[in-house]
Amino acid sequence: MKPKLHRIVLRICFVLLILLIGNLIRTLWQQQAAINLAIAKGQQLYQTADGQSVGLDSATLNSLDTAVSNLTFVDALPLTLAEARPWQAQGCTANSCVHLTYFDPANGRTVNQILHLTDDTILAEWHDALSRPGGSRFVAEDAIKIAANDPEVTAVLGDIGAGDPAMIPMSAWLADDACRDDWCVDLTFHSPNGDGRIYHVFVNMSQQTVARTFYTRARPDLDVAAPASQRAAFTDGCHEQDGWNVCWEMTAHDGILFRDATYNETPIFSSIKITQIEAWYPSWPGGYRDEIGFSASVPPFGDTIVNELDDGFEVRQLFTEFTRWPNCICCYRYEQIIRFFADGSFEPRFVSHGPGCDDLSIYRPFWRIDLDLEGAESHQVWQWQESEWAELENETELYPFINNLGPDGYKLATGSDDLLYRWTMQATDPLGLDEAYFFVLQENELEGEQPLAPGPGDTFQPPRQWLNDEPLSGENIVLWYVPLLKTRKTEPLWCMPDPEPNINQCEAILRAQITAKLPQPTAEELAEMTATATPESTEPTPTPAPTPTPRPVQGDTVEEVMLNAGCGACHTIGSIGEGRKVGSDLSTIGYEATGRIPGMSAEEYLRQSIVEPNFALAPVCPNGPCLPNIMPQDYGQRLMEAQIEAIVDYLLVLDGADVAENPTVIGEAGTAVFNKNVPAAKSGGAGIAGIDATSVTVQLILIGLVLLLTLFLLWKRPYEENE
């Protein structure tokens, strides 16, 4: 190459190299700016209406040394008076000590510390292998960086900073994924195409990857006025009336902690709180570990109210995630209530207004009740067993809790010879689907008295891990009550703000009835119970034929019936429904059902699969093997015969002309059932957190090539020829 041409090419390479490096710096700066904007938006959700952060003030928080090697800092929150009691002897009072939470990814556990703010002394430390922390503004930053590095997320949201966040990062789980056991949070965004849906990004914080992305449904707005803008509003206090004296205080994550309740100066309970609220969605399959409190996923809204009743009073607190409820998606609205009656009875109550992220869901509030009846050492527990009240000698889990009640309608009794309470769950579900789990435990250190993080989803841990068959008699007794509130979008509406707010919310009521003595049934009552009892049968129960019901699933068209029944929440059904969730794609089921069960027609197969969902499970669904007991088991009762026929006819027409000629047959050498599978969104491998790896990689390759060419030209530079 001639010297002059060589110099020109070399100069072009230098200029190109500078431009490429400059563009790379610009790209990295733009992507980091987008991430910073997304983080700012996410952290803004934790602020009050006037822009203030909840919990510790900034100066106190900045003074804490929260950088611990190999641990992820989650949050630092002040203790209330009752929460500080275990460390009262060491100088802890309200707001003088903080609860520090870290996550240990190497061991899959949380590390908890109690820090005294006066002298920065660590008063206590404990590790919890089961707890999965809730979201915080510090968790939001890490989760958004991970999501920004995922190609499927950027393909949907583009610039993640331009995304419109729907909720704060929610502690969440997926039943068919590593997120069942790992610590995962769900980032939610309003769909960028304006269709009203919510785009979910499940981030596995343990593995630092995106586990799955999917959409949940939209909702039409109701013609109602928006509530006033307000957040983190509550009123701590005490109240004395009708012989009762009770105090309460708002906690960071455990709702209102009711404490030191006495009736006619006799101790009744030392504390009652709600440690978490699970929202279970079979269509994912998975859900949220909601928490209520001043720094929780669902914060308090408005003052704590004391209302007069005809025969007592109630203390009521509203918690809501959005101030634009009910015109929102994935928004939660709860009420925590305790009613105190003049005769000494009381009722813990929980209300869910909805709407959640999907129409089919189950809400599970976890109540912890620490009894103190005339002193802890005198406690005894009795359970109604067949024909008498029998003492429970050891810790136990009761399920079902609503059945096998005594003649007076109660299941359990606690107390002593002088002061007794009988316990029952009052029926409120309009379809009679009330149910609850009930745990009776001996109180032990660090078994729920401390600020408590939720555990793995759908496991009832805590408190199930503390069932150790320990004795109950003469011990301090702790009750855990977990009612199951099952939502419905169709008549009778339940846990829904439709057709207008505050008429179809669902409520769980635990009745604690005071009594002087435990009544044993008379011979006449026992005879009546025996006469009306249904004898147990050893024969298998046949699947009931679908019958008309006075409360059918509503809808003027078959599409409306399927959507109102929740079918579209789990399945893609031709042009309707949600894909990439728990249910198989039914867009070609009319063709695939033919011959699927030898000797059974497609029509018979579809009908049986509706009224008996576990009849023939598909081994492959969008995110892996299909799971039993996900699809509701009561469609045979909720759907009228004409509706089932219409659904079957609709599905039969979905003949899938483009599928293979021979559908798989059930029962032949263990072969698969459903072949259609849409893979779930998974992130690939590690990368620089928050950076678009593809764009940066291409630019780095170009820079490398130009740099090599430049070095080669420098090495091969010809000597100048003498003129």
Side-chain angles (χ1 to χ4, degrees):
M1 181 182 296
K2 293 182 179 182
K4 186 175 182 180
L5 179 60
H6 186 279
R7 286 195 298 271
I8 293 173
V9 175
L10 187 59
R11 288 170 182 168
I12 292 174
C13 288
F14 273 123
V15 172
L16 185 58
L17 188 60
I18 292 172
L19 291 174
L20 286 171
I21 292 174
N23 189 66
L24 176 62
I25 294 173
R26 176 175 171 273
T27 299
L28 294 175
W29 179 85
Q30 287 180 333
Q31 293 182 4
Q32 188 59 50
I35 294 166
N36 291 338
L37 178 58
I39 291 171
K41 287 182 177 180
Q43 293 181 342
Q44 188 178 16
L45 296 173
Y46 290 91
Q47 297 176 346
T48 60
D50 57 0
Q52 299 297 313
S53 297
V54 297
L56 295 178
D57 61 82
S58 299
T60 303
L61 189 59
N62 292 334
S63 69
L64 300 179
D65 182 12
T66 58
V68 180
S69 178
N70 300 321
L71 297 180
T72 301
F73 176 62
V74 176
D75 216 341
L77 295 164
L79 296 181
T80 66
L81 179 64
E83 290 177 318
R85 280 179 178 170
W87 303 280
Q88 186 175 12
Q90 296 159 278
C92 265
T93 59
N95 299 315
S96 69
C97 293
V98 297
H99 175 215
L100 299 172
T101 306
Y102 302 87
F103 185 73
D104 180 359
N107 297 293
R109 63 186 182 183
T110 58
V111 177
N112 302 269
Q113 295 177 341
I114 301 299
L115 173 72
H116 201 297
L117 290 174
T118 304
D119 54 9
D120 291 336
T121 303
I122 300 295
L123 304 181
E125 178 174 316
W126 69 94
H127 300 169
D128 192 338
L130 288 175
S131 67
R132 302 293 180 264
S136 75
R137 58 187 184 274
F138 308 102
V139 172
E141 181 173 348
D142 291 339
I144 289 170
K145 287 180 179 178
I146 296 169
N149 193 41
D150 186 83
E152 297 224 19
V153 175
T154 55
V156 173
L157 297 178
D159 179 354
I160 196 168
D164 182 12
M167 297 188 293
I168 67 174
M170 303 285 287
S171 182
W173 84 94
L174 294 170
D176 59 349
D177 182 84
C179 284
R180 179 176 179 85
D181 301 312
D182 291 349
W183 176 34
C184 295
V185 299
D186 183 27
L187 302 177
T188 52
F189 300 88
H190 294 281
S191 176
N193 61 15
D195 59 11
R197 295 185 299 167
I198 297 296
Y199 180 60
H200 295 258
V201 181
F202 262 74
V203 179
N204 189 316
M205 302 297 291
S206 300
Q207 300 181 16
Q208 297 285 290
T209 60
V210 171
R212 183 176 301 165
T213 66
F214 57 88
Y215 285 93
T216 51
R217 57 94 171 100
R219 283 176 52 86
D221 281 355
L222 299 175
D223 186 17
V224 295
S229 178
Q230 189 176 13
R231 183 181 169 90
F234 55 88
T235 310
D236 295 344
C238 298
H239 190 73
E240 187 173 359
Q241 180 180 332
D242 297 323
W244 283 97
N245 193 323
V246 62
C247 295
W248 61 86
E249 55 200 30
M250 184 64 66
T251 66
H253 291 285
D254 292 340
I256 288 185
L257 192 156
F258 293 88
R259 60 177 177 84
D260 305 327
T262 62
Y263 177 68
N264 291 336
E265 300 183 352
T266 299
I268 302 300
F269 62 78
S270 58
S271 66
I272 296 181
K273 62 182 181 179
I274 296 178
T275 63
Q276 67 168 318
I277 302 164
E278 279 190 356
W280 157 247
Y281 296 105
S283 61
W284 294 8
Y288 290 139
R289 308 176 187 96
D290 256 351
E291 294 176 297
I292 52 177
F294 67 76
S295 187
S297 54
V298 186
F301 181 95
D303 291 335
T304 310
I305 300 173
V306 179
N307 291 322
E308 291 283 340
L309 305 175
D310 290 340
D311 54 349
F313 66 97
E314 69 174 12
V315 182
R316 177 183 293 258
Q317 177 67 55
L318 174 66
F319 299 84
T320 188
E321 193 161 9
F322 285 97
T323 54
R324 60 181 182 271
W325 183 89
N327 291 326
C328 51
I329 313 297
C330 285
C331 50
Y332 297 88
R333 192 175 182 90
Y334 304 130
E335 290 185 80
Q336 181 185 6
I337 309 154
I338 298 186
R339 288 187 172 181
F340 300 89
F341 299 97
D343 67 351
S345 303
F346 64 99
E347 289 178 353
R349 292 174 169 232
F350 173 82
V351 177
S352 176
H353 292 262
C357 285
D358 260 329
D359 293 323
L360 296 178
S361 61
I362 301 176
Y363 294 103
R364 303 165 177 161
F366 284 61
W367 287 90
R368 182 184 186 272
I369 304 170
D370 190 348
L371 297 177
D372 194 19
L373 303 177
E374 293 187 311
E377 24 330 300
S378 62
H379 286 182
Q380 289 179 278
V381 184
W382 295 267
Q383 179 188 357
W384 176 260
Q385 295 180 354
E386 296 184 357
S387 61
E388 63 178 356
W389 289 100
E391 184 176 359
L392 279 179
E393 297 182 355
N394 301 93
E395 294 177 327
T396 190
E397 172 183 340
L398 300 175
Y399 180 84
F401 186 68
I402 200 74
N403 298 333
N404 302 318
L405 305 178
D408 52 359
Y410 291 86
K411 178 84 168 185
L412 202 71
T414 58
S416 63
D417 291 337
D418 299 324
L419 179 62
L420 290 169
Y421 276 90
R422 289 174 291 161
W423 302 81
T424 192
M425 178 181 178
Q426 294 188 354
T428 58
D429 190 297
L431 290 183
L433 301 178
D434 306 273
E435 197 43 84
Y437 285 79
F438 207 92
F439 301 83
V440 186
L441 303 178
Q442 180 189 133
E443 184 185 47
N444 289 297
E445 185 179 6
L446 295 179
E447 289 190 359
E449 183 181 15
Q450 76 280 13
L452 197 61
D458 204 29
T459 64
F460 297 93
Q461 296 180 118
R464 184 175 279 165
Q465 73 269 31
W466 297 322
L467 277 170
N468 298 315
D469 204 35
E470 293 183 290
L472 297 175
S473 180
E475 302 291 341
N476 191 7
I477 302 302
V478 175
L479 307 177
W480 288 78
Y481 162 63
V482 188
L484 312 182
L485 295 167
K486 304 171 184 179
T487 65
R488 277 182 301 281
K489 185 182 178 182
T490 187
E491 290 288 349
L493 293 164
W494 194 235
C495 305
M496 288 285 176
D498 301 321
E500 60 182 271
N502 301 317
I503 61 172
N504 288 313
Q505 65 267 24
C506 51
E507 184 171 18
I509 303 172
L510 179 66
R511 176 74 177 181
Q513 177 66 49
I514 194 169
T515 183
K517 60 183 296 186
L518 199 60
Q520 294 289 356
T522 64
E524 292 77 9
E525 289 175 327
L526 287 176
E528 182 179 353
M529 292 176 62
T530 302
T532 57
T534 302
E536 295 187 2
S537 173
T538 58
E539 297 296 324
T541 302
T543 302
T547 57
T549 166
R551 301 185 177 107
V553 175
Q554 294 178 315
D556 296 328
T557 66
V558 65
E559 290 89 350
E560 289 181 359
V561 170
M562 288 191 294
L563 290 176
N564 288 340
C567 306
C570 301
H571 300 278
T572 298
I573 313 170
S575 60
I576 65 175
E578 300 281 352
R580 302 177 69 171
K581 292 168 78 173
V582 70
S584 55
D585 191 333
L586 301 181
S587 300
T588 59
I589 191 62
Y591 176 83
E592 294 175 351
T594 303
R596 177 162 285 176
I597 301 288
M600 177 176 281
S601 68
E603 180 179 1
E604 294 170 331
Y605 168 78
L606 293 173
R607 172 187 291 275
Q608 191 68 14
S609 297
I610 293 171
V611 300
E612 189 179 356
N614 291 339
F615 167 66
L617 286 179
V620 179
C621 276
N623 301 308
C626 297
L627 304 175
N629 302 316
I630 296 294
M631 183 171 166
Q633 307 290 306
D634 60 353
Y635 282 142
Q637 289 73 49
R638 293 179 53 209
L639 291 168
M640 298 186 71
E641 176 66 25
Q643 292 174 320
I644 294 179
E645 290 181 359
I647 293 174
V648 170
D649 291 342
Y650 183 93
L651 297 177
L652 286 172
V653 177
L654 303 178
D655 56 7
D658 57 339
V659 298
E661 293 185 2
N662 298 312
T664 307
V665 177
I666 292 178
E668 293 186 355
T671 52
V673 181
F674 296 106
N675 297 317
K676 193 174 182 66
N677 180 33
V678 181
K682 298 277 185 179
S683 70
I688 304 173
I691 301 300
D692 184 347
T694 303
S695 173
V696 171
T697 300
V698 171
Q699 294 185 62
L700 287 174
I701 291 173
L702 290 175
I703 290 173
L705 291 175
V706 175
L707 179 61
L708 288 174
L709 179 59
T710 303
L711 293 174
F712 176 78
L713 291 173
L714 287 172
W715 178 52
K716 288 293 187 178
R717 183 175 59 182
Y719 292 102
E720 296 287 345
E721 297 180 0
N722 293 326
E723 296 291 339

